[in-house]
Amino acid sequence: MTTKLGRRIPATALGMAVAAVLALPASAQAQQAADHPATQAALNSYQAQAGPGAGIYAGDSTGSWNLSSGTAVINTNKPLQPIFHFRIGSQTKTFTAAVVLQLVDEGKVSLDTPIERYLPGVVNGNGYDGNAITVRQLLQHTSGVAESRQPTAQNPDGTFALSSLVREGLSHPPASAPGAAFHYSNTNFQIAGMLIEKITGMPVARAITGRIIEPLGLTQTTFPSAGDHTLPVRFVPGYHGTRIGPFFFWTDNTSEVEPSAYSSAGALISTQQDVTTFYQALLGGKVVSGASLAEMQKTIPLGQGIGYGLGLQSFALRCGGTAWGHAGSVPGYGSLTTATADGRHAALMTNTMTDSAGGLRQVDVINSALCD
């Protein structure tokens, strides 16, 4: 999706922001790398094809560790740390899905009820029929709703209304009949955001904050307001890479994301530590009921050992078992956070936007961290 250019943050301020973090001593970082050589090698390989830096935060029920490759800030030597803020992109979808499942637990929403019942007239026209598309299909990307393109229906101040994002997404013809195939689309979760607003009577940002972020004590996680292009003080700058002839350049695009252009599909800002806490809480039954979690974990196969449930991805591990989480990609950042039922966790991030090939390389690093 397109983004709206925002205020540039001076490089000196970026350096000060990162320097303000109390990073691990070099000796401690070296020891952790020595303790996890296979994961460090996988992380180095991933970073070589990703952003200026990459970091992994992993562990089990007995403790956590983190590794870094490259740098958090270009032209410096600043290891990435799990307390650095970044835009988590589509990991937001799991938060949104969890709120919908809470509403299911409360008897206010039914997964197999057509969306037309909750949002009359919203998903209609241009080949769409809200009576044929269920809430479950929206959360599992099997609704047939096409992937949204570049949003253009901006408000005068450059922000986007959630309803206008949905209308623009539905202006593209259906990708398939409802329930016929998997088609990943931000519009599905923007419709889910409208559903949350209709049922709760509050903005989706407030609903996610009040129902997920605050109860879990995720103090480093925020749903930014429309028009707010900043990140909290301790953050990883985001970059865009450009090759011109034999030269490669990194351009800072930290402040170029308009959060309302993503909203309930990808607006959240967090840290590796906080997002890990969220997925551990979700799997631990602290966010939705056991029955609703089971619904979230009913996946359809996507290949490469990856499945998609209701706003939740599954990853078959080479050492056996399954990790659950979600990937995120937004200008400036690429990430993947996972957790397992037995208490293991692994969160990976890089400071540039990743593509599908980068996503598969992310899974390699996660596999190494969880099976190391």
Side-chain angles (χ1 to χ4, degrees):
M1 297 179 67
T2 193
T3 60
K4 178 172 171 55
L5 292 178
R7 179 176 59 86
R8 287 283 184 183
I9 302 176
T12 53
L14 293 174
M16 290 172 63
V18 175
V21 178
L22 297 179
L24 287 172
S27 58
Q29 294 178 40
Q31 183 59 55
Q32 290 195 106
D35 290 342
H36 305 278
T39 302
Q40 183 68 64
L43 182 65
N44 292 345
S45 178
Y46 169 68
Q47 186 272 317
Q49 302 295 321
I56 183 82
Y57 171 66
D60 55 27
S61 58
T62 65
S64 302
W65 47 272
N66 64 280
L67 303 173
S68 179
S69 181
T71 183
V73 182
I74 59 172
N75 303 319
T76 71
N77 181 21
K78 302 287 186 183
L80 275 73
Q81 299 291 333
I83 55 174
F84 287 175
H85 291 85
F86 64 98
R87 302 185 194 279
I88 69 172
S90 287
Q91 292 189 62
T92 303
K93 291 181 171 66
T94 313
F95 287 73
T96 299
V99 171
V100 173
L101 269 296
Q102 287 182 349
L103 297 175
V104 170
D105 287 334
E106 296 164 13
K108 299 174 181 176
V109 171
S110 174
L111 287 174
D112 296 310
T113 294
I115 191 63
E116 178 71 13
R117 180 175 301 180
Y118 305 110
L119 298 173
V122 171
V123 187
N124 275 302
N126 196 32
Y128 293 102
D129 179 3
N131 287 302
I133 295 173
T134 66
V135 174
R136 182 189 302 275
Q137 290 168 345
L138 290 169
L139 297 181
Q140 198 160 40
H141 297 293
T142 57
S143 65
V145 172
E147 171 61 298
S148 54
R149 308 298 202 275
Q150 297 179 349
T152 57
Q154 291 176 298
N155 296 321
D157 63 357
T159 62
F160 297 85
L162 186 55
S163 59
S164 69
L165 292 176
V166 170
R167 284 196 302 271
E168 187 152 354
L170 295 174
S171 70
H172 304 283
S176 71
F182 177 90
H183 296 284
Y184 191 89
S185 172
N186 283 331
T187 307
N188 282 319
F189 275 77
Q190 289 157 353
I191 296 171
M194 290 186 66
L195 170 64
I196 290 170
E197 293 190 339
K198 179 66 176 291
I199 301 301
T200 65
M202 64 180 68
V204 66
R206 182 62 240 168
I208 289 176
T209 300
R211 285 173 166 267
I212 307 289
I213 295 173
E214 291 175 345
L216 293 181
L218 305 179
T219 59
Q220 304 305 312
T221 302
T222 56
F223 196 122
S225 301
D228 184 359
H229 301 165
T230 65
L231 277 78
V233 172
R234 297 185 302 191
F235 68 90
V236 182
Y239 295 98
H240 172 70
T242 303
R243 182 172 294 281
I244 302 177
F247 303 102
F248 190 87
F249 302 91
W250 289 112
T251 303
D252 170 27
N253 64 351
T254 306
S255 60
E256 293 182 4
V257 171
E258 169 48 54
S260 65
Y262 295 89
S263 188
S264 48
L268 285 179
I269 294 169
S270 190
T271 66
Q272 289 175 301
Q273 285 187 345
D274 250 22
V275 183
T276 294
T277 297
F278 164 67
Y279 281 109
Q280 288 178 318
L282 179 64
L283 294 184
K286 299 177 181 178
V287 179
V288 301
S289 69
S292 285
L293 178 60
E295 294 295 333
M296 294 182 76
Q297 293 179 313
K298 290 180 179 178
T299 62
I300 55 176
L302 303 182
Q304 305 290 332
I306 302 172
Y308 203 98
L310 305 184
L312 190 63
Q313 290 178 291
S314 63
F315 303 90
L317 299 176
R318 66 186 183 213
C319 53
T322 303
W324 298 92
H326 208 290
S329 185
V330 69
Y333 306 94
S335 58
L336 171 60
T337 303
T338 61
T340 66
D342 62 6
R344 286 173 291 161
H345 63 86
L348 174 67
M349 72 85 60
T350 185
N351 44 358
T352 197
M353 188 172 184
T354 52
D355 55 16
S356 57
L360 292 176
R361 290 191 291 267
Q362 287 176 330
V363 175
D364 289 339
V365 183
I366 292 293
N367 249 302
S368 179
L370 293 175
C371 295
D372 191 350

